Amino acid sequence: MDEFLDFLGSISWWGWILIFLVLVAIKDIFFNKTHIIKHNFPVVGNLRYLLESIGPELRQYIVASNREELPFNRGERGWIYASSKNENNYEGFGTDRDIYGNHYIFVNNAMMPYRLEKNHHNHKDPNFIACAKVMGLYHQRRRPFRPASIINVSAMSFGSLSARAIESLNRGCKKAAAFHNTGEGGISSYHKKGADVVYQIGTAYFGVRDDDGNFCLEKLVALVDENPQIRAIEIKLSQGAKPGKGGVLPASKITPEIAEIRHIPVGKDVLSPPNHTAFGNTEELIDFIEEIAEATGLPVGIKSAVGQLKQWEELADIMQETGTGPDFISIDGGEGGTGAAPPSFADHVSLPFIYAFSEVYKVFLKQGITDRIVFIASGKLGFPAKAAMAMALGADCISVAREAMLSIGCIQAQVCHNNTCPSGVATQNKWLQSGINIKDKSERVNYYFTKFRKELLEITHACGYEHPCQINMSDVQINLSDKTLVATLEDTFCYQKAKVEFTSVQEHVDSPYLGGKEKSKEVTTKEAETEKTSVYDKNDRTKTEDKS
């Protein structure tokens, strides 16, 4: 035995490598029955598959330039990361974007920017931009709602996202006075940390379903009564990444906690069907909306991706004739994200945001009822210039999902569907999500939203307006082609958005319907020029510490 151990000890390091390669070759040549390349070229073949497995990381961090990755390039991610950390989010030496590229956006600034009066509220709070419309006011709902933030967190369910990610988002929304959409997975304890909540009802009616999986109004009413932070209800018809496609929540991912929240059994796969059972046509949808609004007193809206327009036209016709219908409409672009979707759906089904929104908005504009509806835009709009474009098209609020995920540490690993998210954001793996520091990540959400609003407000003032709702389609141009290089949104999409009723920002501050009552502090964000400067004047700084 000693002689054998001495023999092993005498083998040099390169000898061990040679032995290992020989064993790999024997395994693949004589026992491998599935991989041709490994069988024919055992050493090089294994190296090939190893490099392929880390290919996305190599491209993301070494090969790709700042502007060529999708869905979010390094430049976009860098802006979100810097903003969420309250760091320098400026860039030097001019833009590195192709400003002559197709669909490039130009915002037309005024010769004389808008000047804030000395007593203007945005001197005190330079990040305050509330929604210019009130949800449910036209239909006289018992609890109308004016979102206190023009940017909010879009629908992402607990189950798709981890518990720590959901709690970080909710606490961040509280600090930023934004609302937090629950997603179709129902409201969890992690959604109850102080932020306004929009409760989403999906096709499986998770959280408000009976034992047979049908919608139960009594459960919804009880849920709203128990959770006063629920300010609106959103009926999900479809989403941009997989419209008309249901889903399966496998039994292996259904924990007792998730089963209790969603009112589903443990140990059985649960199907989310592609269509609702509570209604089957447009008239029944409106009846469903009115029934929920009457029972809960809350504004009720719909969320949908866009393809065919016939049913949208039918919806607008009925709304114009009857004075009933949704209080808000969320339009999700086909470029929107999801935890998991077939590539054929994510790549090809439903229109991208700019086409989807403009087509739907024109339908309601034709009927003259846009003033009744709060339009919420979604689909890679978590950047101030894109938000200005959406506002010019007719949007009243912006909802972001993946951008919010990036603010709490998502690295765009694109393994959300594998339950192996390395940042712990989109996984139920306890070890992976344990690295999320909720206090730190909630601050990052807060800073991302406040810096987003501050920059959007600066763009608005540069255009000569007080509030982004005043930006119109003539104020934004878009690259089209070599023949017609640049045209306004008005010329491109052949309409001008309806004028939004707006008096002053102070009116929004004083609104009795204003959300974000639990806002814990006014945030001091840092300017780029120096880490020590603030957006507040030194003699007029109003900063309170968050003691929670």
Side-chain angles (χ1 to χ4, degrees):
M1 185 65 178
D2 291 338
E3 293 179 355
F4 179 71
L5 293 175
D6 291 339
F7 171 72
L8 293 179
S10 66
I11 300 176
S12 61
W13 63 268
W14 56 266
W16 285 111
I17 294 176
L18 183 62
I19 291 171
F20 173 75
L21 294 177
V22 169
L23 292 174
V24 169
I26 293 172
K27 177 183 75 71
D28 284 325
I29 292 174
F30 295 103
F31 300 101
N32 178 15
K33 305 298 183 183
T34 56
H35 293 89
I36 298 174
I37 299 299
K38 286 185 179 180
H39 176 274
N40 292 346
F41 307 96
V43 176
V44 176
N46 277 282
L47 181 61
R48 181 258 187 201
Y49 285 106
L50 173 64
L51 292 175
E52 183 183 46
S53 69
I54 61 173
E57 289 78 11
L58 292 174
R59 290 189 294 273
Q60 184 176 22
Y61 296 108
I62 299 176
V63 178
S65 71
N66 284 347
R67 299 296 180 189
E68 65 181 4
E69 288 181 275
L70 291 173
F72 295 94
N73 60 50
R74 186 182 294 128
E76 292 170 329
R77 298 197 311 274
W79 183 85
I80 294 175
Y81 292 147
S83 298
S84 64
K85 296 175 185 177
N86 199 22
E87 296 176 349
N88 186 341
N89 63 358
Y90 281 28
E91 64 181 35
F93 213 66
T95 183
D96 60 356
R97 299 200 178 199
D98 178 11
I99 63 174
Y100 300 102
N102 198 33
H103 277 202
Y104 193 85
I105 297 168
F106 301 94
V107 179
N108 296 329
N109 61 293
M111 181 182 290
M112 301 292 178
Y114 179 83
R115 179 183 293 176
L116 293 178
E117 299 297 331
K118 289 184 178 180
N119 62 345
H120 197 283
H121 183 76
N122 284 136
H123 275 307
K124 176 183 177 183
D125 187 355
N127 314 302
F128 177 80
I129 317 177
C131 180
K133 294 179 185 175
V134 180
M135 293 180 180
L137 193 60
Y138 176 84
H139 294 121
Q140 299 182 337
R141 310 303 188 197
R142 295 194 299 277
R143 291 179 58 195
F145 174 47
R146 185 195 294 274
S149 172
I150 211 165
I151 176 174
N152 303 281
V153 172
S154 189
M156 294 182 285
S157 301
F158 170 52
S160 176
L161 265 57
S162 68
R164 285 178 169 265
I166 293 291
E167 183 170 344
S168 298
L169 291 172
N170 194 266
R171 290 184 182 274
C173 285
K174 172 187 174 181
K175 294 172 182 177
F179 71 67
H180 186 186
N181 192 308
T182 63
E184 64 179 313
I187 187 169
S188 67
S189 60
Y190 314 108
H191 290 98
K192 303 176 184 180
K193 304 302 178 181
D196 291 330
V197 168
V198 173
Y199 187 89
Q200 188 183 82
I201 300 174
T203 56
Y205 308 116
F206 291 131
V208 290
R209 54 191 268 148
D210 61 21
D211 294 337
D212 297 321
N214 297 313
F215 174 72
C216 179
L217 181 61
E218 291 74 18
K219 284 188 176 181
L220 177 62
V221 172
L223 197 69
V224 171
D225 290 342
E226 293 167 5
N227 298 280
Q229 69 267 41
I230 298 178
R231 300 300 305 272
I233 296 171
E234 181 179 80
I235 300 168
K236 175 185 170 183
L237 304 178
S238 62
Q239 68 183 91
K242 48 181 179 182
K245 175 77 172 70
V248 176
L249 186 65
S252 60
K253 295 188 70 174
I254 301 175
T255 64
E257 183 181 28
I258 291 175
E260 182 181 359
I261 293 167
R262 299 196 178 199
H263 296 174
I264 56 178
V266 177
K268 291 177 62 177
D269 293 344
V270 176
L271 172 68
S272 296
N275 56 295
H276 283 264
T277 57
F279 54 88
N281 55 47
T282 308
E283 290 183 351
E284 291 177 357
L285 168 61
I286 292 179
D287 291 340
F288 187 61
I289 290 171
E290 293 298 325
E291 180 184 26
I292 291 175
E294 176 60 29
T296 63
L298 297 178
V300 180
I302 60 174
K303 174 182 179 177
S304 182
V306 178
Q308 301 173 11
L309 293 177
K310 183 178 179 180
Q311 289 174 318
W312 288 103
E313 293 167 351
E314 185 179 356
L315 175 63
D317 288 341
I318 298 173
M319 289 179 66
Q320 198 280 330
E321 292 172 4
T322 65
T324 59
D327 300 293
F328 64 93
I329 296 177
S330 299
I331 299 297
D332 199 8
E335 64 270 63
T338 181
S344 54
F345 273 79
D347 295 346
H348 300 289
V349 183
S350 81
L351 295 173
F353 168 77
I354 196 168
Y355 304 134
F357 189 92
S358 58
E359 291 290 339
V360 169
Y361 188 86
K362 281 191 287 187
V363 169
F364 293 93
L365 183 66
K366 182 179 178 181
Q367 294 291 349
I369 58 175
T370 56
D371 60 318
R372 307 179 189 180
I373 307 163
V374 173
F375 288 96
I376 301 176
S378 181
K380 293 182 68 175
L381 299 174
F383 305 92
K386 287 187 176 181
M389 176 270 294
M391 299 296 291
L393 287 169
D396 300 297
C397 282
I398 306 297
S399 283
V400 296
R402 288 170 294 178
E403 297 93 322
M405 291 168 62
L406 289 168
S407 75
I408 61 172
C410 168
I411 62 170
Q412 193 171 281
Q414 296 180 273
V415 291
C416 315
H417 57 299
N418 292 336
N419 201 36
T420 57
C421 171
S423 64
V425 174
T427 178
Q428 296 307 306
N429 183 295
K430 296 294 185 182
W431 167 253
L432 292 173
Q433 63 176 286
S434 65
I436 297 178
N437 182 317
I438 294 172
K439 183 179 180 181
D440 174 64
K441 300 308 182 185
S442 64
E443 281 292 350
R444 293 194 182 190
V445 176
N446 181 26
Y447 280 124
Y448 166 56
F449 278 7
T450 52
K451 286 210 169 188
F452 177 101
R453 292 195 302 252
K454 172 180 172 290
E455 198 163 316
L456 176 58
L457 201 56
E458 289 172 345
I459 290 175
T460 301
H461 294 166
C463 292
Y465 303 121
E466 183 181 5
H467 190 280
C469 74
Q470 297 172 286
I471 300 174
N472 62 63
M473 298 182 73
S474 300
D475 295 318
V476 180
Q477 293 179 293
I478 185 171
N479 274 356
L480 297 175
S481 64
D482 291 335
K483 183 178 180 182
T484 309
L485 186 60
V486 179
T488 64
L489 294 178
E490 181 179 10
D491 293 335
T492 303
F493 297 106
C494 302
Y495 74 94
Q496 179 57 272
K497 81 169 189 178
K499 185 177 180 180
V500 177
E501 185 177 343
F502 172 75
T503 305
S504 68
V505 167
Q506 190 61 45
E507 181 189 27
H508 294 173
V509 176
D510 299 334
S511 173
Y513 314 119
L514 186 67
K517 300 299 184 183
E518 298 296 326
K519 183 178 180 182
S520 55
K521 67 176 180 179
E522 290 173 357
V523 179
T524 302
T525 57
K526 297 175 183 176
E527 288 283 19
E529 288 81 357
T530 167
E531 286 296 303
K532 296 181 180 180
T533 60
S534 157
V535 295
Y536 292 93
D537 182 81
K538 292 181 179 179
N539 298 321
D540 187 30
R541 180 170 300 179
T542 54
K543 178 183 177 183
T544 57
E545 295 299 327
D546 181 9
K547 303 297 183 181
S548 60

